[in-house]
Amino acid sequence: MTPPVASDLRGGSIISGIGFTPYSKNSGRTVLGLALEACMGAITDSGVPVSEVDGVVTFGLHDSPPAIAVATGLGLPRLRHFATYLGGGDLCVSLIGDAAKAVMLGEADHVLVYRALNGRSGKRTGGSGSDTDAVVGRDDAQFTYPQGWMTFPQYNAMCARRHMLKYGTTTEDFGRVAVQMRANAALNERAMYRDPITLEDHQNSRMIADPFRLLDCCLETDGACAFLVSRAEHSKDVASPPVSILAWANGGGPRPGYGFDGFYTYEEGADLFSEYIAPELWRRAGLGPQDVDVASIYDCFTFSVLSQLEGFGFCKRGEGAGFVRDGNIASDGKVGVNLNGGMLSEAYVPGFNGLIEVVQQLRGSAGLRQRPSAEVGLATGFGTTTGSGLVLSAAS
Amino acid sequence: MATDTDLDQWIPASPEPDPDSEPFWEAAQELRLVAQCCDDCRALRFPPSPLCSSCHSWNFAWVDLPPVGTVHSWIVVTHPVSDSFQARVPYVVAMVDVAAGVRIPSRLVGVTPDDVSEGLQVGVVFLTTVDGLKVPAFGSRQTDRP
């Protein structure tokens, strides 16, 4: 029996505004300041009066201001929907769905979704960069940290190795993702790294946690991004071209892990969350991967892109490397992936700077990076064993 | 001055046991590697949890695990994350399959990056932390270590 869904919600809501700060290594500002700048940007972009914003949703790893702080900072007269989720890359884009549900149910009219962090100058993701003995005892870190296994690059390198063992993927295959992201960033004035790199540069970059080299790992960034989500009926009132929210999904498979430390309970690190959520995502959207023009594929690591291209159905299991090698993710390929340069080259505002790019592409406002006739977009969030997906379209 | 062997055996950070994991760490001090076995469905589980995720029984016993395992995946850490691990790089960390339902993340002691492969058989060794606690890990089966 097909459950009653969610496809009924298709197109009932829009992204009515977007906002973002400059991306840097040292903002010299509070995360509240960054969040407020991005949120004011999104509200101004939409043309909705600040006083009509009545919902606020965010996520973080204790490194982002909570929703109530932004509601306070903006002076919202009334809060009708709010949530501060614990999460890194996993939930991120599905929080647009959380906001979409709230506006479609009439809980709220205009919901802000944001992420702010001083991810380089302040609290670095995963607690790296300090002598982190204090993290021992956090979740199941007692079984990982004493073994010298304690960061996201180290955890995901273990999964990347599985992909190499199971499918014959090579580090050059990882490198091709990094090279493509940097080539995309060259056309993006917001990107933190724009100088082109070659496969040789990738192979010569410093080893971090074999099989990952420096250029397999995303950036660390200070910055913020925000989105305003409204009901589709507001499409005619908003100041910027609205983007239609078609579908979202989040989840994963069995034994995703007791914490964010290592994911070693998960059966097969070569095949991650995306194949579990993709069927429902596409069914809800009434579309498939072949319909996608532009995508933000969460690229915390090069390997993560290969794994998700397979899981979301752009190619078969184990064929991600070949799909990239054949040029399919280039700006003029089958699907333009991370045309902003991704988190590998533009910035790391988990999943959200990529979502900004997808919205701009669907609006036709991506400047030099604009992909002709970009009508359907995908954005993803990656938490290794769990994650999320969001399908958007240019409003007709 | 510490020798290479000392460094290999020494762990800069101590685990902090919790009520679920205390018996695991107590057994380790007696140089035993243990896991929970469900009294009802006999499923082994790791890391410790009060509930069997297979049959949802709360009844379990701690049992000794075989002191050997096979390598499922591995990495070679070359970039130290913190000062404590600076002297240790490069080192190998693996996920070691010990029994159905029991996959243990572990330093690989006495195994060089060139020696490690999928399916490599490894044996239990016990390392010592700065605080004198014993921590189970795995190492080359050719290397007899206390």
Side-chain angles (χ1 to χ4, degrees), chain A residues 232-392:
Chain A
E233 72 200 43
H234 294 288
S235 294
K236 58 189 183 307
D237 315 326
V238 293
S240 298
V243 164
S244 187
I245 299 170
L246 299 186
W248 59 91
N250 70 31
R255 298 172 63 80
Y258 283 104
F260 296 121
D261 303 293
F263 314 103
Y264 57 91
T265 58
Y266 192 74
E267 185 57 31
E268 178 52 86
D271 308 310
L272 295 169
F273 73 94
S274 35
E275 65 183 68
Y276 289 95
I277 71 166
E280 275 191 291
L281 179 69
W282 297 128
R283 183 169 59 82
R284 291 171 186 172
L287 296 169
Q290 70 283 354
D291 299 310
V292 175
D293 302 301
V294 289
S296 166
I297 306 285
Y298 197 97
D299 57 334
C300 44
F301 304 102
T302 51
F303 154 75
S304 320
V305 174
L306 301 183
S307 172
Q308 291 174 93
L309 287 170
E310 296 165 11
F312 283 109
F314 290 97
C315 57
K316 295 196 177 94
R317 249 191 185 188
E319 294 182 358
F323 188 78
V324 171
R325 199 160 48 232
D326 293 343
N328 291 306
I329 69 164
S331 54
D332 59 352
K334 279 186 182 162
V335 52
V337 171
N338 302 348
L339 298 178
N340 59 336
M343 300 193 300
L344 287 164
S345 285
E346 187 197 48
Y348 172 76
V349 184
F352 274 15
N353 54 304
L355 181 54
I356 292 280
E357 175 72 11
V358 170
V359 171
Q360 292 191 324
Q361 289 281 340
L362 296 177
R363 285 177 168 183
S365 63
L368 293 173
R369 306 182 307 282
Q370 184 64 45
R371 181 166 161 121
S373 62
E375 289 176 6
V376 175
L378 168 73
T380 78
F382 177 98
T384 309
T385 57
T386 54
S388 54
L390 172 73
V391 182
L392 305 172

Side-chain angles (χ1 to χ4, degrees), chain A residues 52-96:
Chain A
E52 290 181 20
V53 173
D54 53 2
V56 183
V57 173
T58 190
F59 70 100
L61 294 169
H62 308 303
D63 55 359
S64 192
I68 59 167
V70 163
T72 302
L74 292 175
L76 302 185
R78 190 175 171 207
L79 195 56
R80 298 168 68 204
H81 178 80
F82 78 101
T84 300
Y85 290 93
L86 177 69
D90 48 4
L91 286 171
C92 59
V93 296
S94 59
L95 296 192
I96 297 295

Side-chain angles (χ1 to χ4, degrees), chain A residues 131 142 148 158 161 207 210, chain B residues 21 72-74 76 78 84 91:
Chain A
D131 202 26
Q142 61 184 305
M158 202 72 89
R161 174 85 63 196
M207 195 66 88
D210 186 347
Chain B
S21 68
H72 171 72
S73 188
W74 76 93
V76 183
T78 48
S84 321
Y91 59 87

